[in-house]
Amino acid sequence: MPTPASDDAFAEVKAKVDLVKVVQEYVRLTKRNKDFWGLCPFHQEDSPSFHVNPQRQSWYCFGCERKGDVFTFVELIEKTDKRGALQLLAERAGVELKKLSPEQKERTDLRRRLLTLLKLAAQYYEYVLWSNPAGEPGRRLLESRRVGEETAKRFQLGYAPAGRGFAEYLRAKKRSLADAQEAGLMRRDGTDFFAERLVIPIRDERGQPLAFTARTVRADEQRKYINSPETPAYVKGRVIFGLDLARDEIARRGHAVLMEGQFDVITAHGAGITNSVASSGTALTDDQVRLLKRFTDELLLVFDADRAGRQAAQKAVLLAAAHQMRTRVATVADAKDPDEFLRAAGAEAAKRWEELVAKAPSGFEFGMEDAAAGLNLSNPNHVELAAKRLREWITQFPPALQEDYRERAKRWMGVSGHLLAAEPDERRATGRPIAPRAGKNGLESPSGGKKMTVGRYLLQLLAVRPVAFDRVRTKITPDELDEEDRGIYVRMLETYERGGASGLEKELAGYPAEEQDLVRRAWAAPPPNVDEEVAVELADRIRLDHMRGRHSGIIRELSEAERGQDSERVARLEAEARELGRAIADMERRG
Ligand SMILES: [Zn+2]
């Protein structure tokens, strides 16, 4: 059982870290007078309203009104808790946290040792590649792949020679061989895990090596590539390969190029496409998308041209959409992957690349074209089949996008709308948690048979489109809602503040049953207009209704007070009623 950290630990860490430097790892800040400004990482915006005060070591966003100190910032941006933020910042500041449990401390120490060792290994391999005769096979492989020395050095490529060279190196440096095994660098017999391979460090977004991918230089070797195992320093699916090198260019160009393989990325950087990264070692994961979203809202997906590559691209499109990221998909023609495409283009690579990017359809269109590929749309049977596939494609997107996508699909295919209207059973097949029985659409069976009120409508809308909270929460307070809507409203708002737009899916299981039911029904059958403007309108109507209710309450009270001849109370209530009446009239005029 870990004991909570003392206030001392927070104070000590706070004194040692600089909020501006911490924020700058996530947000581009511009200095104005003594303060810093940037685009808020916690809400969507085009002009900077995120403000950092270096003197007070505090931050405030004028857009979403979030604020706090360095701990709250790290908590929000790393999606961790106060304790996690303390740990991250303590590590950064070199502050030893005294009250870690023995297991936690051991794990933290081990991780730190492994990270140092991984850095050392990368340096050793790089040294062998360029400065040791044993590195010759690695240099030949790079030459055959047309990877120039400058690019290779940027990625810190290296070569692991045969035998026990690395073990001897560690012994000379008086390092623990057991740690090297733990880090996945060495086998139990002391031989190098990556022997006779070109090694590619997999580094985090700050450039720290966490693991390696290694390609054999031997023609007779069956396993072309091998990867580091998961270790206390490396969790697969949490790292984006190349992000440390690409992050500035991603910010500059406004999008990241996401590829599949490490060599795709290396070749791309060599050809000047320096905003390229890869989902290293796995299919794209939720964590990786979240990491990328810290740097951009748009991904250009360039996957292999084969069927597996196209399927991977579709999955990535959906995953990105779930995180409100835009995608485009570029397909390399006459080549199996971007690496081959760019190498074949030679000196023309940059030009061919621009042509490819210019042609890239949006992720949604890409999936649409794929759904209709090979079908003849003048044949009615084929049209029906294509419509079915399109329906399946569309229903996998977040509900807020589906209506627009159905419209676009209709126009694109030239079919009538009913062919593309989702059927309840298909909705259920999308993998989203969905209530067993839902009405045909949001209007007929809005929320478990209860009559559709403005409050219910708003709750459904917020369930489908939680970002609308950003607008709504400044418009109404929970006590303006009907009593039966208040609990779920507050719960969803708290979830949103904690977990953002995707928080609801994660926390829903902990909601009371009838609230879960309302949310699931809304997901299954979204209300007709899922739009932030509509949410604001609804909030205004709720506010107005609440004010009218209060007004008639005061009038009732007033007649009571008059009967009781309580003149002081009468005067007070009259004033209240007048003021409220004016406010209502104002709202009605605007409304
Ligand atoms: Zn903000």
Side-chain angles (χ1 to χ4, degrees), residues 433-447:
I434 272 171
R437 245 341 315 138
K440 259 196 187 134
N441 62 47
L443 283 179
E444 283 172 25
S445 169
S447 62

Side-chain angles (χ1 to χ4, degrees), residues 400-421:
L401 295 173
Q402 291 184 14
E403 180 140 347
D404 175 44
Y405 283 179
R406 253 189 285 282
E407 275 306 307
R408 280 159 66 179
K410 234 157 57 181
R411 260 175 284 140
W412 183 77
M413 262 184 78
V415 298
S416 62
H418 75 274
L419 275 175
L420 291 169

Side-chain angles (χ1 to χ4, degrees), residues 39-45 49-50 59-66 470 473:
L39 293 176
C40 176
F42 307 121
H43 84 278
Q44 294 282 333
E45 62 176 6
S49 48
F50 183 81
W59 60 275
Y60 178 73
C61 172
F62 288 88
C64 63
E65 298 181 342
R66 288 182 177 86
D470 287 338
R473 64 178 155 196

Side-chain angles (χ1 to χ4, degrees), residues 268-321:
H269 277 250
I273 307 154
T274 50
N275 57 336
S276 316
V277 294
S279 68
S280 178
T282 55
L284 190 66
T285 67
D286 228 37
D287 284 333
Q288 288 171 329
V289 175
R290 226 172 280 135
L291 176 58
L292 284 166
K293 178 135 174 107
R294 283 186 1 210
F295 299 91
T296 179
D297 285 317
E298 184 172 336
L299 300 178
L300 176 70
L301 307 168
V302 195
F303 284 13
D304 297 355
D306 59 4
R307 190 172 162 66
R310 288 207 316 276
Q311 279 175 350
Q314 292 188 5
K315 283 204 179 115
V317 166
L318 293 170
L319 198 56

Side-chain angles (χ1 to χ4, degrees), residues 388-407:
K388 182 173 180 294
R389 288 190 194 157
L390 277 180
R391 283 202 305 270
E392 284 164 4
W393 175 233
I394 291 167
T395 48
Q396 295 178 71
F397 282 87
L401 295 173
Q402 291 184 14
E403 180 140 347
D404 175 44
Y405 283 179
R406 253 189 285 282
E407 275 306 307

